[in-house]
């Protein structure tokens, strides 16, 4: 896949930033008294991988003016390092705007993780195209890849329209578009027809489409395998058939990817991936990985995949690197990865956990 040359930005993504609070020592939320706080969003999770490896990236977002949580988020983005752009919105009264809270434990053994989202008054729902200079961003500065997640795409009527307009502007400027469908039933409730139309229009302009079996079927209406089942390896042919159906429905895209995850316990997963690059399949059979915290693993896969593509690597290397960055994130307390260098990622792919001195 060819990318625009001489771009200021490698990857840009719209997002609604928030914070996650997680009990320490993998304890359950309802019995814990000590929690760790981190800044988070699915899209910034994706960008953290390429940012750590030196690719210039940026989030388009909104902040609550004068909020200490907003200040915390900005500081965290700077340390990754992820640039940010967006307006500051007045909080209003005590029932006004704020940043989302994600309350989640990591699970342990046979006790699975539990996630509670508190998004009331979320400032990211106000994202609007009028707050951003798209001519400057996509034409004057230049962007290699615009990455859109279905989470921000379905967050509100405003963000849905924002993502569609971003995709249209990026497409017109020759920027490649990555779309990770990330279907969430709670976001779609009561908006099914509207969101199916918007997601279909974004997907029609996308160059890279990412999703699991539920994402492609429920967000785009493409026939595929049923979710669940114990043995992912036996379902790979049906996943390939689904991807062929997606390719036929969305011929503008040239890369299609899905991760494969089978949960053995909260501490161990079987992790694999399938990618179609043009007419070439890259299949990574599920293999065991240790899991400290599963949240963000899929975002880590996308982050590694997009980094490798932006660097111009071949399809096999892109798939392998994405698998390894996803596996890396599963070993971390935070739901994003900051790899030390490419060598660390390739060591994970090779299964080499020997000490490096």
């Amino acid at each position: 896949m060819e990318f625009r040359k001489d771009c200021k930005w490698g990857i840009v993504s719209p997002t609604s930033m928030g914070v996650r609070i997680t009990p320490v020592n993998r304890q359950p939320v309802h019995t814990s008294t000590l929690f760790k706080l981190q800044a988070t969003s699915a899209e910034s999770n994706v960008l953290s991988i390429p940012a750590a490896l030196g690719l210039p990236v940026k989030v388009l977002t909104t902040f609550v003016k004068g909020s200490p949580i907003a200040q915390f988020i900005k500081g965290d983005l700077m340390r990754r390092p992820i640039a940010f752009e967006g307006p500051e919105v007045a909080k209003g009264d005590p029932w006004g705007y704020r940043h989302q809270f994600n309350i989640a434990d990591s699970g342990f053994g046979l006790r699975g993780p539990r996630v509670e989202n508190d998004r009331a008054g979320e400032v990211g729902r106000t994202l609007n195209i009028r707050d951003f200079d798209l001519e400057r961003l996509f034409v004057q500065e230049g962007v290699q890849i615009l990455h859109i997640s279905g989470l921000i795409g379905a967050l509100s009527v405003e963000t849905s329209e924002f993502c569609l307009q971003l995709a249209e502007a990026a497409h017109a400027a020759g920027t490649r578009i990555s779309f990770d469908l990330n279907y969430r039933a709670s976001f779609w409730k009561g908006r099914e027809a509207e969101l199916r139309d918007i997601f279909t229009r974004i997907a029609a302009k996308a160059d890279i489409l990412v999703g699991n079996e539920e994402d492609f079927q429920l967000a785009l209406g493409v026939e595929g395998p049923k979710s669940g089942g114990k043995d992912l390896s036996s379902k790979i042919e049906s996943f390939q058939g689904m991807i062929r159906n997606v390719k036929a429905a969305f011929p503008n895209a040239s890369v299609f990817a899905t991760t494969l995850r089978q949960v053995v316990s909260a501490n161990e997963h079987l992790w694999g991936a399938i990618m179609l690059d043009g007419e070439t399949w890259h299949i990574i059979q599920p293999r065991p990985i240790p899991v400290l915290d599963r949240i963000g693993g899929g975002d880590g896969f996308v982050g590694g995949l997009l980094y490798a593509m932006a660097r111009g690597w071949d399809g096999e290397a892109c798939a392998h690197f994405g698998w390894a960055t996803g596996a890396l994130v599963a070993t971390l307390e935070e739901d994003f990865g900051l790899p030390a260098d490419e060598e660390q990622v390739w060591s994970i792919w090779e299964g080499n956990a020997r000490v490096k001195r």
Side-chain angles (χ1 to χ4, degrees):
M1 182 182 297
E2 292 294 325
F3 292 92
R4 287 181 58 191
K5 307 297 183 184
D6 301 322
C7 291
K8 178 176 181 178
W9 303 107
I11 309 174
V12 168
S13 186
T15 192
S16 174
M17 292 300 303
V19 292
R20 174 185 172 188
I21 56 174
T22 309
V24 299
N25 298 323
R26 304 190 70 165
Q27 295 303 294
V29 170
H30 70 285
T31 60
S32 295
T33 58
L34 187 61
F35 293 77
K36 177 180 178 178
L37 179 73
Q38 67 166 88
T40 189
S41 76
E43 300 79 21
S44 63
N45 290 348
V46 170
L47 296 190
S48 293
I49 298 287
L53 295 173
L55 197 68
V57 303
K58 174 187 274 192
V59 290
L60 308 179
T61 191
T62 54
F63 297 99
V64 177
K65 187 175 182 179
S67 164
I69 298 297
Q71 188 175 6
F72 172 80
I73 291 169
K74 290 177 182 179
D76 194 72
L77 289 172
M78 285 188 284
R79 80 174 173 95
R80 297 194 202 184
I82 298 174
F84 51 85
E85 176 182 343
E88 296 199 339
V89 179
K91 175 183 176 181
D93 61 30
W95 296 269
Y97 289 117
R98 62 186 176 91
H99 291 276
Q100 57 146 318
F101 270 72
N102 181 276
I103 308 164
D105 65 50
S106 304
F108 188 85
L110 297 180
R111 173 174 56 80
R114 291 196 170 191
V115 178
E116 174 73 18
N117 287 304
D118 184 356
R119 311 189 79 123
E122 185 172 352
V123 69
R125 298 182 65 181
T126 67
L127 276 166
N128 194 295
I129 208 74
R130 68 172 179 264
D131 294 319
F132 300 89
D133 185 345
L134 301 190
E135 171 75 15
R136 170 182 54 79
L137 180 65
F138 290 115
V139 179
Q140 298 172 17
E141 296 179 347
V143 179
Q144 285 185 286
I145 302 172
L146 171 69
H147 175 67
I148 298 174
S149 163
L151 295 177
I152 190 68
L155 185 60
S156 68
V157 172
E158 292 81 4
T159 64
S160 300
E161 185 63 26
F162 179 60
C163 288
L164 178 58
Q165 291 174 311
L166 278 178
E168 291 171 343
H171 183 73
T175 293
R176 297 300 186 183
I177 299 170
S178 164
F179 190 20
D180 185 355
L181 298 170
N182 266 330
Y183 174 87
R184 294 292 186 274
S186 58
F187 286 23
W188 281 59
K189 187 175 181 180
R191 300 181 63 203
E192 290 84 359
E194 171 200 355
L195 288 176
R196 173 67 63 83
D197 175 65
I198 288 175
F199 273 50
T200 299
R201 291 164 69 185
I202 295 174
K205 296 187 180 301
D207 303 276
I208 305 152
L209 281 171
V210 182
N212 62 28
E213 70 276 20
E214 288 186 342
D215 292 337
F216 285 122
Q217 293 180 85
L218 297 175
L220 299 179
V222 177
E223 184 178 352
K226 301 299 181 184
S227 60
K230 292 292 185 182
D231 185 6
L232 282 176
S233 297
S234 65
K235 296 174 64 176
I236 285 178
E237 279 192 26
S238 62
F239 278 92
Q240 289 179 280
M242 175 189 68
I243 291 174
R244 291 189 190 97
N245 292 338
V246 177
K247 182 175 182 177
F250 299 95
N252 185 72
S254 58
V255 174
F256 307 83
T258 184
T259 56
L260 303 171
R261 187 198 300 266
Q262 183 176 328
V263 177
V264 179
S265 74
N267 305 59
E268 181 183 355
H269 293 176
L270 302 181
W271 181 241
I274 301 174
M275 187 175 94
L276 178 61
D277 178 18
E279 300 298 327
T280 304
W281 289 100
H282 303 286
I283 298 174
I284 302 173
Q285 292 285 347
R287 67 196 227 210
I289 62 168
V291 177
L292 181 63
D293 187 307
R294 67 164 287 164
I295 296 175
D299 298 328
F301 168 81
V302 177
L305 177 69
L306 296 183
Y307 171 80
M309 293 183 69
R311 293 300 192 202
W313 300 355
D314 64 48
E316 182 178 63
C318 291
H320 292 178
F321 199 80
W323 181 94
T325 49
L328 166 68
V329 174
T331 70
L332 305 172
E333 290 183 343
E334 294 175 314
D335 49 17
F336 57 84
L338 299 174
D341 46 38
E342 291 178 6
E343 181 185 7
Q344 184 180 58
V345 177
W346 285 121
S347 292
I348 292 172
W349 167 253
E350 294 159 3
N352 176 16
R354 297 185 60 165
V355 63
K356 178 178 172 60
R357 300 186 189 277

